[in-house]
């Protein structure tokens, strides 16, 4: 499948990247957001510049026909990608969460450009495989980046208001300022009023407020379908991170879930890719915004996790907190309001690995009074001081075709709340590299620690003893959940012979799963003994040690 996809992807990339703006793959511009064409041009540039460390291929297509590109990073001279422990990284499943793509792109660039400079990175690429997919949702991301429109995820037309029409009432840039902001409309029964502290701010009307001007506040737009509602059925509507099969819920249970699990090509190809790459040891699923990490649980109660895996999840999350200075919180927090159908929930319950959802960009670093929260007034102060006021459009009168006189203004939410302004992007995406690197480094890795050869009868009988270890940090089964599901395959030792016969030992020996250095009892070692009778002139035994998550190694030993 990969060969076919490589050829297919090459043809698509040639057309996709033909019109891409030239950007030095060794020195990209990290003070811009890359659309899909630019992002794929970078991936192509890296695959050309680092041919011994990369492979670039598509894992499928969107509804529009856009390829879903994955950059595979590993040193090909030290083994095939599938023979090494791996980690999966993606970003930008939600269309407007553009920082996710930039984090993945920057991480790939960092790994490749530091390979010859940083011994730690060199060891990582020599011994592990990284699957990096910056644009999970390329079509939706391009709409969010290149147009004024807001959409949650895939642009597949969807009937959000159940009126039989599709995407018939999106937001509108009425005042032609290249943004969709807000409208405030005077209404004596309105729920909002202008703040006395700053006239740009709208605050909720008090229970006993009866005098003064009151307002309705709506997203900028018109009632395109004349149903009395504004912008209630915009582009798309399916949330692809509610479309995965574990704990999937109907639309009545989970808004945006889609008609059935994996209804979208992007989610279906994701599961097919991960399931086909059993060497994947974890999932990094990049989102915005909030400046924190969503950890498991995601779609079910923490009490349903066994204690060993709870401890593992907390340990890995704790490392995030130390390296980024941000907090880690559970994705699941309320049994009545919990999410359905998320990727990291499927990753744990059905694939047996721990996944994470980093919510990049803490937005307004503006707690001026140090009270532990950021007020709207402080956000405006931050905007005025850090951005010269450009993040907020001042209210301006506008003659609305349906509502009459209104005012339009408010936040440029895409590049203040949802993503950092471009001048702050580079600093934001750099802070996650240490944790992303560490996640791949701690995977299990099986090795043949010792191979002792003993001649029992010269020229006739030879005994070989192997000592096999997991020198990685995590166990070869990753989670106790994988053991409970019986999908954690044991480490296996296989032997093939030439000009000899195996007279003691088994051609295939299951060694069970091996703990790594994380275990309190230390690295687990398994010993395997073989006795061979020589039958020809050039007797050789070839040993293969296989671990689904810990890699595959081979060693050839002469029996002479």
């Amino acid at each position: 499948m990969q060969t076919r996809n490589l050829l297919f992807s090459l043809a698509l990339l040639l057309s996709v990247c033909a019109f891409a703006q030239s950007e030095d793959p060794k020195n990209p511009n990290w003070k811009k957001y890359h659309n899909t064409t630019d992002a794929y041009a970078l991936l192509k540039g890296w695959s050309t510049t680092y041919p011994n460390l990369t492979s670039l291929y598509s894992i499928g297509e969107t509804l529009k026909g856009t390829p879903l590109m994955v950059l595979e990073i590993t040193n090909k001279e030290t083994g095939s990608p599938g023979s090494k422990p791996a980690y999966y990284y993606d970003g930008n499943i939600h269309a407007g969460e553009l920082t996710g793509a930039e984090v993945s792109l920057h991480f790939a660039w960092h790994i490749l450009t530091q390979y010859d400079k940083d011994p730690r990175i060199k060891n990582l690429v020599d011994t592990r495989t990284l699957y990096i997919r910056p644009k999970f949702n390329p079509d939706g991301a391009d709409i969010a980046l290149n147009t004024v429109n807001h959409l949650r995820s895939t642009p597949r037309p969807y009937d959000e208001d159940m009126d039989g029409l599709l995407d018939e009432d999106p937001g509108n840039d009425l005042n032609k300022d290249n943004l969709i902001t807000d409208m405030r409309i005077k209404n004596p029964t309105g729920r909002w009023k202008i703040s006395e502290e700053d006239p740009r701010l709208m605050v909720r009307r008090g229970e006993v407020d009866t005098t003064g001007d009151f307002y309705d506040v709506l997203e900028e737009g018109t009632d395109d379908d004349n149903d009395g509602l504004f912008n209630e059925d915009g582009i798309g509507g399916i949330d692809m991170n509610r479309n995965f099969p574990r704990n999937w819920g109907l639309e009545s249970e989970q808004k945006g879930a889609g008609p059935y699990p994996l209804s979208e090509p992007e989610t279906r190809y994701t599961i097919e890719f991960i399931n086909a790459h059993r060497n994947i040891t974890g999932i990094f699923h990049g989102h915005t915004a909030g400046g924190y990490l969503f950890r498991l649980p995601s779609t079910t109660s923490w009490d349903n996790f066994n204690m060993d895996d709870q401890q593992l999840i907390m340990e890995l999350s704790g490392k995030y907190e130390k390296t980024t200075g941000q907090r880690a919180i559970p994705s699941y927090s309320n049994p009545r309001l919990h999410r359905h159908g998320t990727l990291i929930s499927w990753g744990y319950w059905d694939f047996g690995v721990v996944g994470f959802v980093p919510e990049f960009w803490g937005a307004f670093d503006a707690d001026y009074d140090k009270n532990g929260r950021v007020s709207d007034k402080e956000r405006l102060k931050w905007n005025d001081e850090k951005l010269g006021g450009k993040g907020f459009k001042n209210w301006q009168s506008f003659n609305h075709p349906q509502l009459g006189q209104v005012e339009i203004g408010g936040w440029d939410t895409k590049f203040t709340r949802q993503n950092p302004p471009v001048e702050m992007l580079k600093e934001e995406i750099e802070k996650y590299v240490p944790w992303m690197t560490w996640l791949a480094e701690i995977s299990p890795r099986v090795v043949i620690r010792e191979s002792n050869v003993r001649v029992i009868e010269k020229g006739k009988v030879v005994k070989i003893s192997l000592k096999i270890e997991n020198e990685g940090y995590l166990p070869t089964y990753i989670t106790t959940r994988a053991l409970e599901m019986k999908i954690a395959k044991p480490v296996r030792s296989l032997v093939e012979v030439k000009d000899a016969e195996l007279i003691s030992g088994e051609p295939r020996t299951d060694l069970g799963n091996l703990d790594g250095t994380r275990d309190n009892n230390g690295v687990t070692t398994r010993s395997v003994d073989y006795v061979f009778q020589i039958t020809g002139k050039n007797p050789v035994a070839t040993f293969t040690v296989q671990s689904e998550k810990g890699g595959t190694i081979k060693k050839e030993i002469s029996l002479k």
Side-chain angles (χ1 to χ4, degrees):
M1 179 182 77
Q2 184 164 310
T3 301
R4 174 177 59 81
N5 281 342
L6 279 168
L7 295 173
F8 169 73
S9 302
L10 178 60
L12 281 169
L13 275 175
L14 289 175
S15 61
V16 169
C17 299
F19 303 103
Q21 183 177 354
S22 177
E23 191 168 354
D24 181 1
K26 289 189 175 182
N27 188 30
N29 181 5
W30 298 120
K31 292 188 176 181
K32 66 172 277 189
Y33 287 93
H34 295 83
N35 62 28
T36 297
T37 299
D38 290 341
Y40 284 4
L42 279 179
L43 298 182
K44 184 68 169 67
W46 291 327
S47 70
T48 302
T49 306
Y50 304 99
N52 295 328
L53 301 180
T54 63
S55 294
L56 180 62
Y57 49 84
S58 170
I59 64 171
E61 288 184 354
T62 67
L63 289 170
K64 181 182 174 183
T66 307
L68 302 171
M69 303 305 298
V70 169
L71 184 69
E72 183 181 85
I73 299 178
T74 193
N75 183 356
K76 298 175 185 178
E77 296 180 356
T78 59
S80 65
S83 70
K84 301 173 185 178
Y87 209 92
Y88 170 85
Y89 306 84
D90 72 32
N92 214 170
I93 186 174
H94 290 146
E97 298 177 8
L98 302 162
T99 310
E102 301 304 318
V103 169
S104 287
L105 285 169
H106 178 268
F107 181 62
W109 168 80
H110 176 84
I111 294 295
L112 293 170
T113 56
Q114 294 302 306
Y115 178 79
D116 289 326
K117 302 174 183 178
D118 186 338
R120 181 179 170 188
I121 298 298
K122 185 179 188 304
N123 182 66
L124 176 69
V125 176
D126 287 349
T127 60
R128 269 78 173 178
T129 299
L130 310 178
Y131 301 114
I132 302 179
R133 182 182 166 197
K135 293 285 185 178
F136 190 109
N137 174 20
D139 297 342
D142 278 357
I143 292 173
L145 179 60
N146 298 331
T147 77
V148 299
N149 293 291
H150 299 266
L151 70 160
R152 177 61 168 165
S153 196
T154 172
R156 178 201 284 273
Y158 199 64
D159 185 7
E160 293 183 85
D161 59 349
M162 304 298 288
D163 64 355
L165 303 175
L166 302 177
D167 298 3
E168 80 284 356
D169 195 0
N172 308 94
D173 178 17
L174 298 176
N175 61 354
K176 307 302 180 185
D177 63 353
N178 294 317
L179 292 173
I180 293 177
T181 53
D182 291 324
M183 305 185 297
R184 62 185 187 189
I185 309 103
K186 282 188 178 181
N187 179 359
T189 62
R191 299 171 65 186
W192 298 88
K193 66 179 183 179
I194 296 174
S195 169
E196 296 178 358
E197 294 184 312
D198 190 314
R200 292 174 293 180
L201 289 179
M202 302 301 293
V203 296
R204 292 299 293 266
R205 177 181 185 171
E207 295 86 347
V208 296
D209 282 345
T210 57
T211 59
D213 292 328
F214 303 104
Y215 296 80
D216 293 328
V217 177
L218 304 173
E219 185 182 65
E220 182 181 356
T222 57
D223 178 11
D224 296 298
D225 56 353
N226 296 309
D227 64 353
L229 302 174
F230 287 76
N231 305 356
E232 81 286 353
D233 196 352
I235 297 173
I238 293 174
D239 182 342
M240 288 194 286
N241 200 32
R242 306 295 183 269
N243 189 238
F244 292 100
R246 170 58 63 163
N247 279 17
W248 180 84
L250 294 167
E251 189 74 24
S252 59
E253 301 171 282
Q254 174 63 71
K255 181 176 173 57
Y260 54 87
L262 303 182
S263 61
E264 306 313 294
E266 295 90 339
T267 57
R268 184 172 68 254
Y269 288 125
T270 300
I271 296 302
E272 289 180 356
F273 177 80
I274 294 175
N275 195 59
H277 293 75
R278 309 298 298 186
N279 58 332
I280 290 174
T281 61
I283 295 170
F284 178 99
H285 191 42
H287 290 236
T288 66
Y292 51 79
L293 176 72
F294 270 141
R295 61 162 176 83
L296 292 165
S298 181
T299 64
T300 186
S301 171
W302 188 233
D303 292 338
N304 294 331
F305 291 69
N306 66 71
M307 188 171 293
D308 288 340
D309 288 348
Q310 287 183 351
Q311 292 172 348
L312 174 64
I313 292 163
M314 295 302 292
E315 178 184 347
L316 303 187
S317 303
K319 187 71 169 182
Y320 172 91
E321 294 178 323
K322 289 180 181 178
T323 56
T324 67
Q326 299 173 351
R327 63 196 174 117
I329 61 176
S331 176
Y332 175 104
S333 58
N334 186 325
R336 294 181 180 271
L337 300 175
H338 70 84
R339 297 169 176 82
H340 293 261
T342 66
L343 176 57
I344 65 169
S345 189
W346 175 87
Y348 176 77
W349 293 104
D350 300 301
F351 192 69
V353 302
V354 177
F356 295 97
V357 176
E359 295 280 352
F360 310 122
W361 180 236
F364 306 92
D365 184 16
D367 185 12
Y368 291 100
D369 59 11
K370 306 300 180 185
N371 69 346
R373 66 181 187 87
V374 178
S375 67
D376 288 338
K377 183 179 178 181
E378 287 173 319
R379 290 187 178 95
L380 282 173
K381 181 179 179 180
W382 177 90
N383 170 63
D384 294 339
E385 292 181 355
K386 302 294 185 182
L387 302 181
K390 71 176 183 178
F392 189 97
K393 294 290 184 178
N394 290 329
W395 298 97
Q396 294 182 336
S397 295
F398 183 82
N399 187 20
H400 193 281
Q402 295 165 316
L403 299 173
Q405 199 65 31
V406 303
E407 291 178 271
I408 295 177
W411 289 102
D412 174 6
T413 56
K414 284 185 187 178
F415 298 107
T416 55
R417 294 176 182 271
Q418 196 170 31
N419 299 282
V422 289
E423 58 267 39
M424 299 179 181
L425 178 60
K426 183 174 182 290
E427 180 182 359
E428 176 66 20
I429 62 181
E430 287 175 340
K431 69 178 63 171
Y432 304 100
V433 169
W435 188 64
M436 296 171 77
T437 303
W438 180 78
L439 286 174
E441 287 179 313
I442 63 173
S443 64
R445 182 169 182 260
V446 296
V447 295
I448 299 176
R449 184 61 64 199
E450 295 179 15
S451 54
N452 297 316
V453 181
R454 187 180 127 203
V455 176
I456 295 178
E457 188 173 350
K458 188 174 182 181
K460 293 184 178 181
V461 181
V462 175
K463 180 179 181 181
I464 295 182
S465 299
L466 303 181
K467 284 192 175 180
I468 299 165
E469 292 181 357
N470 169 18
E471 69 174 14
Y473 183 69
L474 296 180
T476 56
Y477 55 87
I478 307 295
T479 64
T480 302
R481 169 66 181 172
L483 292 177
E484 294 172 346
M485 289 191 296
K486 303 186 187 304
I487 64 167
K489 292 183 179 179
V491 178
R492 289 179 176 136
S493 177
L494 310 175
V495 61
E496 295 178 339
V497 291
K498 174 188 173 185
D499 288 347
E501 180 183 348
L502 179 64
I503 60 175
S504 179
E506 298 295 331
R508 184 182 105 165
T509 304
D510 286 356
L511 306 176
N513 279 282
L514 306 183
D515 289 324
T517 59
R518 180 176 183 265
D519 187 76
N520 291 331
N521 296 320
V523 173
T524 302
T525 300
R526 296 280 192 271
S527 296
V528 191
D529 295 328
Y530 301 94
V531 179
F532 303 94
Q533 182 173 324
I534 297 171
T535 60
K537 293 182 178 180
N538 297 299
V540 172
T542 301
F543 300 95
T544 303
V545 178
Q546 297 176 338
S547 171
E548 193 169 75
K549 304 296 187 191
T552 298
I553 53 172
K554 288 191 175 184
K555 186 167 187 176
E556 187 177 282
I557 300 176
S558 173
L559 302 178
K560 281 187 176 180

